[in-house]
Amino acid sequence: MPRKAFVEDLQQAIRTFNHQRTSEVKFGVEDGSLTFNYALPTHGGLIVTVQALVTDVGEYPLSHMYMIYTTSENIPADVGEEIQGVGTLDGLRVGDMLSKVTKRLDKATAGSEHDPVNLDEDAMDCDGASTEASEPELQEDSDPESIGAWSPTTPVHPTHASGGVPSRTRSSSMILNANRRIRSDMLLAKEAGFRVGHLGLPVNDAEDFLITISIRVAKLGISEEAMQAWHLKLHQYFILLLRYNSGYQPLEDLLKASGGPHHSQHVLFRVGLSYRYNVSRDAAMEAFSQTKAKDENQYEYEPIQKQGSDRSSRLYPCFIGTPLQELMNKRLLSIITYRNALGFGWKGAEAWYTDHQGSNWSTDDGVDTKYYGPDTSNQAATLPRVVTNDHLERGTAQPSFPLVAMQFALRHLVRCTEFCLVCHAPVEDDFEALKPYVCSKPLCLYQYMSFGFGPSIEHDIISQPHVVDLLTSFCYASAAAARLKNLPNGLSLSVPAPSLLPLRAGSPVYSGYNSLTDAGNSSGGVTQPESSHAVQSTHTPKRYKAKFDQANMELIIPTGGPFFYTNQWIVLTFPSTTGECFHCRVIEALHPTVRLGPPINRSSLHINLGLQPENRHPLPYQSFAAKPTPPLPQALTPAATPPRQLPGESTRYPDVEIIVYDQNFDDLSLQDKQTTICTLLDTLPSVADMKEYLQSKLGKDMDLRKWQDRISPAAAGVLRWIIASNRSCIIEVDHIEGETLRASEERVTGMSQWMQFRFAQGAPDKEQRFIQSVRDTTATARHPTQYAWHGSPLHNWHSIVREGLHFQDTAHGRAYGHGVYHATNVQISLGYSSGSCVTHDGKSFGTWPHSQLKISQAVALNEIVNAPTQFVSTNPHLVVAQLDWIQTRYLFVRINASIKFGNEVQPSEACLQDPAFTPTGADGKKIVIPITAVSKSRRPVSKAVPKSDKRIKLGRGSQIDDAILLSDDTDIEDLQIFLSDHEEPEAVRTQAAPGLEKAAKTDFVPGTLDQDSLQLLKPPTYATSTGTKALQRELNTTLKTQDSRPAHELGWYINRELINNMYQWIIELHSFEPHLPLAKDLKAKGLTSVVMEVRFGKEYPMTPPFARIVRPRFLSFLSGGGGHVTAGGALCMELLTNSGWSAVSNMESVLLQVRLALSSTDPRPARLEQGPVKDYGVGEAIEAYVRACQAHGWQIPPDFRSSYTLQNGQEPLPFPSI
């Protein structure tokens, strides 16, 4: 047997293979795989874990191939390339393969002189371990500048062994120049529209720090449908983290250090999402940690941050974070190198990398013109410039590497559906999708499913269990009807040979329409049919015989019988039963006895979740024998295990036949593949049980593959493929509790007995193209769009949700022309969605047995451009040929009759429909569609907006919470990268520059503020001598700064004569940039400053001061204003709350931050109210401050209530509840 030969060879290798640098040769997780560790001799003993996978164990040991790869991170580039270049090692036995691989590694590491990674406990490496990069020792005649830039004639491998950087001992002038370059690179990123932050100040020759480049998701031009499918939120930030391990290096130095087109470990990347433009250092370092990287996909949308930390400082995983990080860390510098050397754009450089990776090449024969073609994208016309800008295209002499990296990241984020998630090459453009996937290469699909590039099915099972049920049911119906065309090939699935399994319920016979293309409609499209014949294979499936000890769940293998191994899956059949199969995992193999896990068959609807004994419930397994027998134990525990019987008593045990999961799925015929998919799905538990299992793990090991006794690797692989290959966005509208369906306001009324889902398809820009079609065609019509039904048999929906609606295939002609067929009466569409899969005995066949929904029919509700005169046909069907004129909105399914439907909920606001084309629902009434069915940009905006509604209207009518968009202030530390004077000579920084000396550069005149117009307070009752002295020192320091800087540069002024007590400061903010609307409004009102009051509480500096605008009044957020000023005049800034305040902050930095906030134009600039100049009241400022804190979840200072009250014995200010 091939598998037996592989197992025996590997066991022998484990016992006998001897190599001084090789250890821990052992079985791998996948069938036919093994792993071993290799210690690099000159890299401090760094351990590299090498994986070897036999792609088809059935061909071992004659014609098999190996896939050799490593799962270790941060290994030397030459070692990684050597492993990748090993090849497939066709036909080698395990021991010979190990010798071949280790010899190549020995050769690759023999010539190294320096160790690029020296583990030490004084610094942190990119994986969170304590490290300090050792520096290479340069010979006396070595010149680090002589390395030169890489060119097409440079050898592929670096000329220097370590890839290290020269010693960083530099003169003060070199450090000053480096600081200027850092500042220039950061400013270029900021001017391009990005937020810039850092963790650890990168200037002054710092070695280890992080830079963050971020942008709010709302600015990326992503459609609402795509954001739902990608789990993004408008108010989140997309963040790129760059970690420098050897000090900041500009782009040209990084390219030199990498030795040409190779990955450099001097800078590493991570991407994620956050609710602030920057994250905490703990969150950033955890993102770079090796342990977290391995576990990240266990639950994809859990925050990467320790429990109890501030929500705003967390880093949340991005939906394509793993493949995007893989792309940037391994390829970005190489791609930039090709761009610089050959003059490519992004598209050409990426294509060149793909075509030439791992090989020597030259340009002697010229460069194919295909690499210089335009970078065309269907989405380009709808994307904002911040996404499409190309910094390298401008030919800047000193390009900003952080900016280039961010633009590259956005290219693959926003256009993710255009690229394969594994090889990153452009995917086939024969159909559009809303979710990213892989290209047609089998290896890409295998890596996508096996190495963590795919989505988290665990997250989908927990968050949207009915959608998982829906997708699984669609696949089951399609496979049962033999209608599946796209299949999970290339996943190395080991399955039981279907030819050996008994028929489950007779051969299926399909009745009804094969697809809506029977009447000219779309079935969603399929790929070219596979061959119906099996692929030639040397493996011959066999049945094996054994005795079965039911009490102990053990097989007794006869002499000369087959060899089994732990974790192998088998199928048991009994001569005394007909058609029943029981699937089990091998728990322990001590031949001739093989212990099995709990048996699973098609009737196993209830399962044991491995909870505590008191929570276990029995599994109603059917009897194995004709005579009644006791129920089988669910788990072998000491209390449940009966006394062991002697092998000599085997005559008492029934005979069983064993079918091993040893057939390669790819070798099956098309029909057998579909039968096998049904067989594997039969063994799955219900989605509800899978959800219960995952929730029982309480966030630990939330990996469905860990449920080894209940779900076979093959069944888990098929389920993962079903969920991951869905490229539509399907969201639950209804929720089932027990046996009752709970309706929501988002339901369409008139379909009371149908379960509903929100349904979106097409590319991310499909909605924008639909809107543009409406504008171009029916913009002036009273009813620009209409709604209609689209029906299709159940077996077609697996393809429809993956490929969308089209009419490429014709099965039985198109009586009314070419196009997608619709009807305004749902009964007509239901006629096309009828048809069932039945057995020869007339029983229903094709419903997934463990489905809670038990779906029998499905129909979609689409929105269409209302131009019937341009339809292909309008009677008896609406036939639309323009696909951009169609947008799916809802999916309706008829479900289990035992589920009770609650009362329908009328939507609070409905879409306005064309009376001539209003669809009729299954209830016989005109349907009512909630306003939420259409995108926010097309919803009508109410004329009257309640005062309590803290929302504002943006472009195209969309609404975004103002408190979220207008209150993200820049940290003081991050401003230092732009405004610090550290690199300037001491004499310049201390030179006196009285404000009046350059008064001509500003119209502000100090000392002209009318004191009588202000309410100056006496010292508060909580004032203490200690607090007063501390504030006195702070005031003196602030006034010294004021005296030493020109007024127009400083931008704020404190009049000493207006300081009656240390706890109240009156400050004027002035000299705003002339182009700002705020500066123009001030000039129009004859004002030269904004008057601000700052009050200090009794616990200052442990709590922040309270700052508010006194005059003039600003335009509120609701009325279109900005500048971080609330409706009551308080400043909406986290810095001035307990959540953002630091006791080490000084007032100079606070005033700088406040002035920057008033000058901010993101998302709108500050403006003044029309009319005469008026003051804000203290009471309304306090109320507005509390509202802002509550809206953001910011902590209000504990002394706020007691500190900020009116003085002189008056009653406290009205204080809102906290």
Side-chain angles (χ1 to χ4, degrees):
M1 289 180 57
R3 176 168 279 101
K4 183 176 181 180
F6 171 78
V7 171
E8 290 175 347
D9 283 358
L10 180 52
Q11 288 178 333
Q12 181 179 2
I14 292 173
R15 294 190 303 267
T16 63
F17 186 75
N18 184 19
H19 184 271
Q20 61 179 352
R21 301 188 187 114
T22 304
S23 62
E24 296 190 27
V25 180
K26 59 185 178 181
F27 284 91
V29 177
E30 302 289 338
D31 182 28
S33 67
L34 63 106
T35 70
F36 65 90
N37 291 338
Y38 182 89
L40 301 181
T42 55
H43 292 76
L46 180 66
I47 300 297
V48 177
T49 299
V50 181
Q51 308 268 357
L53 173 67
V54 178
T55 56
D56 186 353
V57 180
E59 296 179 350
Y60 189 91
L62 300 176
S63 57
H64 65 285
M65 296 184 297
Y66 291 94
M67 181 189 299
I68 311 294
Y69 57 95
T70 178
T71 55
S72 299
E73 294 187 357
N74 304 318
I75 63 174
D78 52 349
V79 175
E81 290 171 1
E82 195 66 33
I83 293 175
Q84 292 179 3
V86 167
T88 57
L89 304 180
D90 300 9
L92 290 183
R93 301 188 82 107
V94 172
D96 296 333
M97 179 274 297
L98 288 172
S99 298
K100 185 78 171 178
V101 174
T102 52
K103 285 180 180 178
R104 292 196 60 155
L105 290 175
D106 290 345
K107 182 178 179 181
T109 57
S112 299
E113 296 181 359
H114 303 292
D115 183 1
V117 180
N118 180 26
L119 298 181
D120 190 49
E121 59 184 16
D122 296 329
M124 294 292 288
D125 74 350
C126 64
D127 292 327
S130 296
T131 67
E132 181 179 4
S134 63
E135 305 293 349
E137 299 177 3
L138 298 177
Q139 297 179 2
E140 292 183 2
D141 57 349
S142 297
D143 181 8
E145 299 299 334
S146 66
I147 297 175
W150 178 87
S151 70
T153 59
T154 305
V156 170
H157 294 287
T159 56
H160 50 287
S162 69
V165 294
S167 172
R168 293 186 57 82
T169 302
R170 298 192 289 182
S171 66
S172 58
S173 61
M174 294 176 63
I175 293 174
L176 291 178
N177 289 332
N179 288 354
R180 293 189 183 97
R181 179 58 188 274
I182 294 169
R183 180 174 300 167
S184 172
D185 285 357
M186 299 302 101
L187 282 172
L188 285 171
K190 185 175 185 296
E191 291 169 357
F194 300 106
R195 302 290 297 273
V196 179
H198 58 82
L199 300 169
L201 195 61
V203 296
N204 300 327
D205 218 24
E207 291 269 342
D208 191 3
F209 56 88
L210 296 100
I211 288 175
T212 65
I213 311 292
S214 62
I215 187 171
R216 204 182 286 276
V217 171
K219 295 184 177 182
L220 299 180
I222 302 173
S223 67
E224 296 170 31
E225 293 75 15
M227 283 195 291
Q228 286 182 325
W230 300 350
H231 303 279
L232 300 177
K233 298 177 181 178
L234 279 172
H235 53 277
Q236 287 179 319
Y237 282 90
F238 172 73
I239 297 185
L240 171 66
L241 293 89
L242 300 88
R243 178 168 183 180
Y244 291 84
N245 295 320
S246 304
Y248 185 82
Q249 297 184 58
L251 176 57
E252 52 270 26
D253 289 351
L254 285 172
L255 296 180
K256 291 177 184 178
S258 67
H262 298 281
H263 167 57
S264 169
Q265 294 189 11
H266 299 304
V267 60
L268 295 160
F269 304 96
R270 292 292 185 270
V271 297
L273 301 168
S274 181
Y275 291 93
R276 288 198 74 236
Y277 79 95
N278 204 350
V279 296
S280 69
R281 186 174 183 86
D282 287 343
M285 296 307 297
E286 192 170 357
F288 282 92
S289 68
Q290 183 176 9
T291 302
K292 189 64 187 182
K294 290 182 178 179
D295 298 335
E296 184 174 331
N297 283 320
Q298 288 183 359
Y299 190 57
E300 186 174 351
Y301 305 102
E302 281 292 304
I304 301 182
Q305 179 69 4
K306 297 179 180 179
Q307 294 294 327
S309 60
D310 182 23
R311 173 177 179 264
S312 64
S313 65
R314 296 179 183 178
L315 183 67
Y316 295 83
C318 177
F319 69 107
I320 60 165
T322 300
L324 185 54
Q325 289 166 179
E326 184 88 357
L327 169 66
M328 298 191 68
N329 282 309
K330 291 188 175 181
R331 299 190 183 185
L332 179 56
L333 286 173
S334 302
I335 292 171
I336 295 174
T337 300
Y338 296 139
R339 287 201 62 175
N340 290 345
L342 301 173
F344 296 146
W346 284 124
K347 179 181 178 181
E350 291 184 64
W352 182 274
Y353 181 99
T354 301
D355 295 344
H356 296 84
Q357 58 179 323
S359 62
N360 290 297
W361 58 273
S362 70
T363 58
D364 294 343
D365 298 329
V367 178
D368 195 319
T369 56
K370 70 177 183 179
Y371 297 109
Y372 294 98
D375 188 0
T376 56
S377 169
N378 294 331
Q379 304 182 56
T382 62
L383 294 176
R385 293 187 61 184
V386 72
V387 175
T388 58
N389 282 341
D390 186 352
H391 181 53
L392 289 179
E393 199 172 50
R394 298 181 178 182
T396 306
Q398 294 185 330
S400 167
F401 178 66
L403 173 57
V404 172
M406 185 62 167
Q407 290 178 341
F408 183 79
L410 288 183
R411 166 182 165 84
H412 281 267
L413 173 79
V414 179
R415 296 171 53 186
C416 61
T417 58
E418 300 179 25
F419 302 98
C420 172
L421 288 178
V422 175
C423 71
H424 308 290
V427 297
E428 300 80 359
D429 56 0
D430 54 346
F431 64 90
E432 298 178 341
L434 196 57
K435 292 183 178 181
Y437 196 46
V438 293
C439 63
S440 57
K441 301 184 187 74
L443 183 59
C444 288
L445 179 60
Y446 178 82
Q447 292 180 338
Y448 177 74
M449 296 296 180
S450 303
F451 298 157
F453 291 122
S456 167
I457 67 170
E458 290 78 13
H459 173 267
D460 287 342
I461 290 171
I462 291 174
S463 62
Q464 293 208 100
H466 302 317
V467 173
V468 176
D469 194 322
L470 177 89
L471 295 174
T472 308
S473 297
F474 283 167
C475 180
Y476 194 94
S478 187
R483 302 290 296 180
L484 273 180
K485 302 298 181 184
N486 297 305
L487 294 160
N489 296 320
L491 298 184
S492 297
L493 299 178
S494 294
V495 300
S499 59
L500 301 182
L501 297 175
L503 292 177
R504 295 170 301 155
S507 300
V509 178
Y510 193 78
S511 64
Y513 285 99
N514 284 332
S515 67
L516 275 182
T517 52
D518 297 335
N521 213 337
S522 166
S523 64
V526 294
T527 57
Q528 291 297 320
E530 275 193 37
S531 170
S532 59
H533 302 289
V535 178
Q536 292 296 324
S537 173
T538 59
H539 173 67
T540 302
K542 296 180 181 178
R543 284 193 183 95
Y544 304 99
K545 297 191 179 201
K547 297 290 186 179
F548 181 63
D549 180 356
Q550 178 179 332
N552 292 299
M553 282 299 296
E554 291 181 347
L555 294 174
I556 302 173
I557 309 299
T559 303
F563 179 88
F564 296 97
Y565 60 89
T566 303
N567 292 329
Q568 188 176 29
W569 276 75
I570 62 174
V571 182
L572 301 182
T573 61
F574 292 79
S576 56
T577 62
T578 57
E580 281 295 343
C581 298
F582 299 86
H583 302 249
C584 307
R585 181 178 75 96
V586 175
I587 294 178
E588 185 179 58
L590 299 173
H591 288 264
T593 302
V594 177
R595 186 153 61 97
L596 305 177
I600 301 163
N601 72 347
R602 198 167 188 262
S603 303
S604 303
L605 299 180
H606 302 285
I607 38 77
N608 177 4
L609 301 181
L611 306 176
Q612 295 301 319
E614 60 270 21
N615 295 327
R616 292 176 179 170
H617 46 280
L619 177 61
Y621 292 121
Q622 296 186 0
S623 172
F624 281 150
K627 297 187 296 183
T629 56
L632 295 174
Q634 285 307 297
L636 294 174
T637 62
T641 306
R644 185 175 179 79
Q645 297 175 340
L646 299 175
E649 299 179 286
S650 61
T651 54
R652 301 170 47 191
Y653 304 140
D655 291 326
V656 293
E657 290 187 341
I658 305 167
I659 305 167
V660 182
Y661 276 55
D662 60 357
Q663 176 73 56
N664 189 337
F665 179 87
D666 295 356
D667 294 341
L668 300 176
S669 67
L670 177 59
Q671 177 62 54
D672 283 348
K673 287 179 179 180
Q674 306 196 69
T675 301
T676 299
I677 287 177
C678 287
T679 299
L680 294 174
L681 294 181
D682 283 344
T683 67
L684 281 177
S686 68
V687 178
D689 285 331
M690 288 188 277
K691 178 179 179 179
E692 184 180 349
Y693 167 80
L694 293 173
Q695 290 178 330
S696 71
K697 296 301 179 182
L698 300 176
K700 299 177 180 178
D701 296 325
M702 293 183 66
D703 188 343
L704 208 58
R705 290 172 292 191
K706 300 289 182 66
W707 201 1
Q708 294 180 326
D709 281 342
R710 185 59 185 87
I711 302 178
S712 68
V718 170
L719 178 63
R720 192 172 297 273
W721 167 75
I722 291 172
I723 298 174
S725 62
N726 166 42
R727 303 182 72 178
S728 299
C729 180
I730 306 175
I731 300 176
E732 298 174 2
V733 172
D734 304 317
H735 180 67
I736 298 177
E737 296 179 2
E739 295 295 322
T740 303
L741 184 141
R742 305 295 182 188
S744 70
E745 284 192 9
E746 292 194 10
R747 274 184 65 89
V748 174
T749 62
M751 298 287 288
S752 59
Q753 300 302 306
W754 291 69
M755 190 172 186
Q756 304 183 13
F757 298 84
R758 289 298 310 274
F759 188 31
Q761 293 188 295
D765 67 329
K766 178 66 163 59
E767 178 70 19
Q768 185 57 40
R769 300 205 311 266
F770 174 76
I771 293 173
Q772 190 61 46
S773 298
V774 173
R775 291 172 178 166
D776 295 342
T777 311
T778 58
T780 59
R782 183 177 181 183
H783 303 287
T785 65
Q786 67 178 89
Y787 293 85
W789 303 102
H790 175 90
S792 191
L794 200 60
H795 68 257
N796 283 340
W797 285 98
H798 175 81
S799 294
I800 292 175
V801 298
R802 281 152 181 78
E803 300 184 9
L805 297 172
H806 57 69
F807 48 94
Q808 296 174 1
D809 306 300
T810 304
H812 294 82
R814 295 190 175 114
Y816 301 99
H818 295 280
V820 180
Y821 280 57
H822 295 82
T824 54
N825 190 324
V826 74
Q827 297 300 334
I828 296 176
S829 294
L830 291 179
Y832 289 101
S833 67
S834 62
S836 58
C837 199
V838 297
T839 62
H840 285 299
D841 57 7
K843 295 182 180 179
S844 176
F845 186 83
T847 301
W848 182 38
H850 304 320
S851 171
Q852 181 186 18
L853 302 182
K854 295 288 190 295
I855 299 172
S856 57
Q857 276 185 296
V859 65
L861 180 66
N862 299 339
E863 186 177 10
I864 309 169
V865 175
N866 194 7
T869 58
Q870 300 184 47
F871 293 172
V872 176
S873 176
T874 57
N875 187 25
H877 307 288
L878 303 178
V879 183
V880 184
Q882 301 91 332
L883 296 182
D884 281 349
W885 286 21
I886 306 168
Q887 193 72 321
T888 55
R889 297 302 182 193
Y890 278 86
L891 179 64
F892 299 79
V893 292
R894 190 190 295 276
I895 61 173
N896 194 341
S898 64
I899 295 178
K900 300 177 181 178
F901 286 78
N903 297 328
E904 281 202 315
V905 179
Q906 293 292 330
S908 57
E909 191 173 359
C911 293
L912 185 64
Q913 300 186 61
D914 188 345
F917 293 98
T918 302
T920 302
D923 297 346
K925 301 181 295 185
K926 301 292 185 182
I927 65 172
V928 179
I929 304 171
I931 192 66
T932 53
V934 299
S935 59
K936 292 180 181 179
S937 61
R938 294 174 51 227
R939 298 176 195 171
V941 180
S942 303
K943 295 181 180 180
V945 181
K947 292 182 179 180
S948 60
D949 185 6
K950 297 291 292 178
R951 300 177 72 83
I952 58 176
K953 179 181 176 183
L954 297 178
R956 298 179 181 172
S958 62
Q959 293 183 337
I960 303 175
D961 195 309
D962 66 309
I964 292 174
L965 281 186
L966 301 181
S967 305
D968 191 20
D969 24 285
T970 304
D971 293 338
I972 299 297
E973 294 80 4
D974 291 333
L975 294 175
Q976 296 177 18
I977 196 68
F978 304 113
L979 305 175
S980 172
D981 291 326
H982 290 175
E983 74 272 27
E984 298 297 338
E986 183 71 16
V988 175
R989 289 190 283 117
T990 58
Q991 180 180 357
L996 294 178
E997 291 182 7
K998 294 188 179 181
K1001 294 188 177 182
T1002 176
D1003 57 0
F1004 173 73
V1005 180
T1008 58
L1009 183 62
D1010 184 8
Q1011 178 175 344
D1012 296 335
S1013 64
L1014 303 171
Q1015 182 184 13
L1016 301 181
L1017 307 178
K1018 296 179 180 180
T1021 56
Y1022 57 76
T1024 63
S1025 59
T1026 303
T1028 302
K1029 289 180 180 179
L1031 279 169
Q1032 181 67 57
R1033 288 193 299 269
E1034 185 67 32
L1035 178 62
N1036 290 337
T1037 301
T1038 306
L1039 291 175
K1040 285 181 180 179
T1041 300
Q1042 176 177 288
D1043 294 339
S1044 64
R1045 296 282 300 278
H1048 72 282
E1049 292 182 5
L1050 198 60
W1052 50 264
Y1053 177 74
I1054 301 174
N1055 190 339
R1056 291 172 170 81
E1057 296 181 0
L1058 299 182
I1059 304 296
N1060 281 4
N1061 75 82
M1062 293 296 105
Y1063 294 84
Q1064 181 195 30
W1065 296 8
I1066 302 298
I1067 302 165
E1068 292 181 87
L1069 305 173
H1070 59 82
S1071 303
F1072 295 98
E1073 293 293 332
H1075 70 276
L1076 292 175
L1078 174 59
K1080 297 176 181 178
D1081 289 352
L1082 286 170
K1083 188 173 183 178
K1085 291 182 177 291
L1087 301 175
T1088 60
S1089 67
V1090 173
V1091 182
M1092 182 175 72
E1093 178 190 29
V1094 178
R1095 299 189 186 187
F1096 299 89
K1098 60 183 178 182
E1099 296 185 17
Y1100 179 85
M1102 303 311 297
T1103 60
F1106 172 56
R1108 72 180 185 94
I1109 302 298
V1110 176
R1111 76 171 74 100
R1113 294 184 73 96
F1114 281 65
L1115 201 63
S1116 67
F1117 298 156
L1118 194 60
S1119 302
H1124 296 251
V1125 181
T1126 65
L1131 291 170
C1132 185
M1133 300 170 62
E1134 186 180 12
L1135 170 69
L1136 298 176
T1137 71
N1138 255 32
S1139 300
W1141 179 254
S1142 171
V1144 300
S1145 298
N1146 57 60
M1147 285 306 298
E1148 180 183 353
S1149 63
V1150 171
L1151 294 177
L1152 172 63
Q1153 180 75 297
V1154 170
R1155 193 172 182 280
L1156 286 174
L1158 291 180
S1159 301
S1160 173
T1161 59
D1162 180 20
R1164 293 170 302 179
R1167 301 298 302 267
L1168 300 183
E1169 274 189 356
Q1170 298 296 321
V1173 177
K1174 296 181 180 179
D1175 290 6
Y1176 287 103
V1178 181
E1180 62 178 323
I1182 289 178
E1183 290 180 352
Y1185 175 83
V1186 173
R1187 284 197 305 269
C1189 289
Q1190 291 174 337
H1192 288 282
W1194 294 336
Q1195 183 181 356
I1196 298 175
D1199 62 342
F1200 189 81
R1201 181 188 297 270
S1202 58
S1203 296
Y1204 305 122
T1205 61
L1206 293 179
Q1207 302 295 308
N1208 303 322
Q1210 298 185 41
E1211 291 296 322
L1213 291 167
F1215 202 92
S1217 59
I1218 300 177

